[in-house]
Amino acid sequence: MTAPVTPSADVLVIGWGLAGLVATAEAVRRGKRVVIVDQEPRTNLGGQAWWSFGGLFLVDSPEQRRLGIRDSLDLARQDWFATAGFDRDDDAWPRRWAEAYLDFAAGEKRAWLHDLGVRIFPVVGWAERGGYTALGPGNSVPRFHITWGTGPGVVAPFERAVLAAEADGLVTILSRRRVAELITESGAVVGARGDILTDSDAARGVASTREVAGAFEVRATATIVSSGGIGGNHDAVRRMWPDRLGTPPSTMVTGVPAYVDGRMIDTAGAAGARLINRDRMWHYVEGIQNWNPIWPGHGIRILPGPSSIWLDATGHRLPTPLFPGFDTLGTLAHLRTTGHDHSWFVLSQKIIEKEFTLSGSEQNPDLTGKDIGLLVRSRLGKGAAAPVQAFLDHGADFVVRDTLDDLLAGMRALPGGDALDAEAARAEVIARDRELANPFTKDAQVAMLRSARSFRGDRLIRTATPHPILDPRSGPLIAVKLHVLTRKSLGGIETDLDSRALGADGTPIPGLYAAGEAAGFGGGGVHGYRALEGTFVGGCLFSGRAAGRAASRAV
């Protein structure tokens, strides 16, 4: 092995995802010298956020007001705390982070991003609709703001700032550095050491080799851990899986690259950082196998509109209010009681054309490429958007048929499909369709569909006109086999509001900071048990900013 290289800096940033880039940009703006290390090839600069849809949680924004949405900080706080369900002694700092983040989302967040060149798509989405009472989980109003440019559009201004600082000599970026240990001297963290991995020409997101070529060490006055969560490590997900969500699935698809392995969270813990709320996690139940995978087990999440009939693996409809887009973890907990790892959407061509969006920057070339013409054609034109059509044509989880009998037979032919009670599924679809015959209904989903279309955003691009799914004019019929898709860790390194990592006694560990998913997006779990969506990218922005500013003050 080669001899260790020992550069030094004011600030060491471990992980070049969004939180790490934001922290670095804040530090160099204050004239600090920064070294960034990451275990991946440089093609992955920007981390998970680059792949994201770029959703942002904003409160009382101009986009909301233009659509007639009346939001407020008080309403957002009510929704956040009802959704988070904070109930532990360990939630002291997460509660404070929640209050601070809500102030940020209702205050300077949009203007700060706008000044950096980030722009917002004018139609606001309504994620995690809840469907319970006012003090139940969910968003009372639409708050999901889509970045014009999706994830890469959020990453871009911070990447530009970091690359400019690199050109000026303030930033050193070291790829293929896998941290094995945080260096502690006299109770303070003074840097990190670990392995130099062999060079890799792997494309963005593609799994890279872990062969070791040497060792490295970096010394710094302040060290920021911004290395992400555990979503790419199914063994870790299963180890942390909480009893309240039932048994962990035997099979899952993976919503993040393989490098999202959680190693640095445990490494920080070994250096004395207190790790909290690790049983809190956020996985989706609308995952589909990617027909054109980039990383191992690559899954894509359907961002569903509210019209599809949701059946469990046996063909029985999910209970109220577990409709598409209403309660992610409530649906996950229910489905884990069925004894099966999959469920089904049943819908029509008319629904898929209006309501199916796929998560991920690469699945939304119109928004990612800021192409208005393509956006109009794909979102408002006839037929499914091209990325959705590709799954209809090639996806292993899609069944397209002209009759219900043939659709049910196709569902049963897929792996695990023998669990489907075709007669039960038939009865559910026919009964739901009968409810469309008049303006009255006892079906809560049908009533909700009619209500949803009173919101201009839903009526324009998100919710199909309610119709019988079996109406031939709306066909063909479509079934989609859905899998649990791993995504986010909601717990992690406990931090104060300056993103300083806290030790077992609750006091800051000198020299150590944490941001992004490694810190539960702030405090060790700003979301509590569940999220309102649009809050993960925002949590990286907010905690990364806090870490970069505080670390700069300390040096």
Side-chain angles (χ1 to χ4, degrees):
M1 291 187 180
T2 59
V5 178
T6 312
S8 62
D10 297 317
V11 180
L12 167 63
V13 175
I14 302 171
W16 58 31
L18 181 59
L21 293 180
V22 173
T24 301
E26 290 291 332
V28 298
R29 194 163 67 86
R30 290 159 175 77
K32 307 304 178 184
R33 293 174 300 113
V34 181
V35 171
I36 304 173
V37 300
D38 196 283
Q39 66 183 351
E40 291 307 302
R42 188 153 170 162
T43 47
N44 288 279
L45 194 68
Q48 292 182 68
W50 191 93
W51 295 101
S52 76
F53 194 53
L56 295 171
F57 177 93
L58 297 172
V59 178
D60 193 26
S61 69
E63 290 77 19
Q64 287 176 302
R65 293 194 293 271
R66 280 195 289 268
L67 290 169
I69 301 166
R70 297 181 180 179
D71 200 4
S72 69
L73 178 56
D74 285 341
L75 184 60
R77 183 184 293 111
Q78 174 176 297
D79 288 347
W80 190 290
F81 279 82
T83 301
F86 296 123
D87 62 359
R88 299 173 175 174
D89 292 342
D90 286 350
D91 286 331
W93 281 110
R95 283 177 178 270
R96 293 172 189 157
W97 271 89
E99 291 283 5
Y101 182 72
L102 285 163
D103 287 340
F104 177 61
E108 65 174 309
K109 180 180 178 181
R110 185 184 182 281
W112 177 63
L113 289 171
H114 192 274
D115 287 346
L116 292 170
V118 176
R119 297 295 182 265
I120 305 297
F121 187 64
V123 180
V124 182
W126 197 348
E128 291 298 295
R129 301 181 188 223
Y132 302 93
T133 63
L135 290 178
N139 284 295
S140 296
V141 298
R143 295 192 178 102
F144 189 84
H145 295 68
I146 301 166
T147 303
W148 189 232
T150 66
V154 180
V155 169
F158 306 102
E159 182 178 0
R160 284 195 299 269
V162 169
L163 295 182
E166 182 185 34
D168 291 340
L170 276 177
V171 169
T172 300
I173 300 175
L174 302 176
S175 62
R176 305 299 283 159
R177 266 62 171 184
R178 181 178 64 187
V179 173
E181 177 189 2
L182 294 176
I183 304 169
T184 303
E185 295 177 356
S186 302
V189 171
V190 296
R193 61 171 65 100
D195 302 318
I196 301 174
L197 304 179
T198 57
D199 289 340
S200 171
D201 59 0
R204 183 185 290 273
V206 174
S208 59
T209 176
R210 291 295 180 260
E211 182 181 352
V212 175
F216 80 94
E217 182 175 300
V218 178
R219 295 273 173 156
T221 306
T223 297
I224 301 173
V225 176
S226 54
S227 52
I230 66 172
N233 184 341
H234 287 198
D235 290 339
V237 168
R238 292 189 181 97
R239 282 198 305 272
M240 301 298 172
W241 193 275
D243 290 342
R244 65 181 176 276
L245 292 179
T247 58
S250 299
T251 60
M252 299 180 281
V253 294
T254 310
V256 293
Y259 59 71
V260 187
D261 56 19
R263 285 173 54 95
M264 270 310 304
I265 299 175
D266 291 322
T267 302
R274 187 163 181 260
L275 309 181
I276 62 173
N277 298 321
R278 299 197 71 186
D279 63 318
R280 293 177 179 169
M281 52 186 66
W282 188 258
H283 306 305
Y284 293 107
V285 280
E286 312 98 337
I288 50 177
Q289 301 171 81
N290 194 346
W291 67 272
N292 188 23
I294 297 169
W295 53 79
H298 189 179
I300 297 294
R301 186 207 172 192
I302 298 168
L303 298 172
S307 297
S308 298
I309 298 175
W310 204 333
L311 304 177
D312 66 22
T314 69
H316 293 87
R317 201 162 162 200
L318 272 58
T320 301
L322 304 183
F323 310 131
F326 273 61
D327 180 0
T328 294
L329 287 200
T331 305
L332 175 59
H334 172 77
L335 289 174
R336 297 310 308 143
T337 69
T338 68
H340 300 278
D341 289 349
H342 69 277
S343 60
W344 299 96
F345 278 166
V346 175
L347 60 152
S348 66
Q349 177 72 22
K350 185 175 180 179
I351 291 172
I352 207 168
E353 290 180 4
K354 187 85 167 184
E355 298 193 5
F356 264 39
T357 298
L358 303 175
S359 184
S361 56
E362 83 285 8
Q363 299 293 333
N364 294 276
D366 50 353
L367 293 165
T368 302
K370 303 180 182 181
D371 188 330
I372 294 175
L374 178 59
L375 185 144
V376 171
R377 293 192 300 275
S378 62
R379 309 285 166 167
L380 301 178
K382 183 67 175 174
V388 175
Q389 187 61 50
F391 274 89
L392 283 167
D393 294 340
H394 308 293
D397 296 314
F398 286 70
V399 181
V400 183
R401 301 288 190 272
D402 289 325
T403 69
L404 184 56
D405 285 343
D406 288 346
L407 187 77
L408 294 169
M411 294 164 70
R412 284 184 55 81
L414 291 185
D418 55 351
L420 184 74
D421 181 336
E423 291 310 309
R426 182 195 310 278
E428 295 280 16
V429 175
I430 291 172
R432 179 267 187 196
D433 276 7
R434 285 196 187 106
E435 296 291 323
L436 273 298
N438 60 70
F440 309 104
T441 183
K442 68 177 181 182
D443 189 309
Q445 185 177 8
V446 172
M448 180 280 307
L449 293 177
R450 291 168 175 161
S451 174
R453 284 181 58 82
S454 66
F455 168 50
R456 276 180 284 167
D458 271 355
R459 189 169 63 252
L460 179 64
I461 64 171
R462 206 69 184 111
T463 304
T465 303
H467 62 277
I469 286 175
L470 297 178
D471 186 341
R473 294 171 297 180
S474 301
L477 300 173
I478 300 166
V480 187
K481 184 182 177 185
L482 306 173
H483 309 264
V484 175
L485 178 140
T486 61
R487 186 60 66 84
K488 299 297 181 186
S489 309
L490 298 188
I493 302 166
E494 186 179 32
T495 64
D496 65 12
L497 288 177
D498 283 329
S499 287
R500 297 182 297 179
L502 305 179
D505 63 357
T507 62
I509 298 172
L512 184 60
Y513 301 78
E517 191 174 351
F521 301 94
V526 67
H527 297 96
Y529 287 95
R530 57 177 90 190
L532 287 172
E533 288 287 21
T535 55
F536 302 125
V537 168
C540 291
L541 292 168
F542 189 54
S543 61
R545 191 176 79 154
R549 291 178 178 183
S552 297
R553 290 195 298 269
V555 299

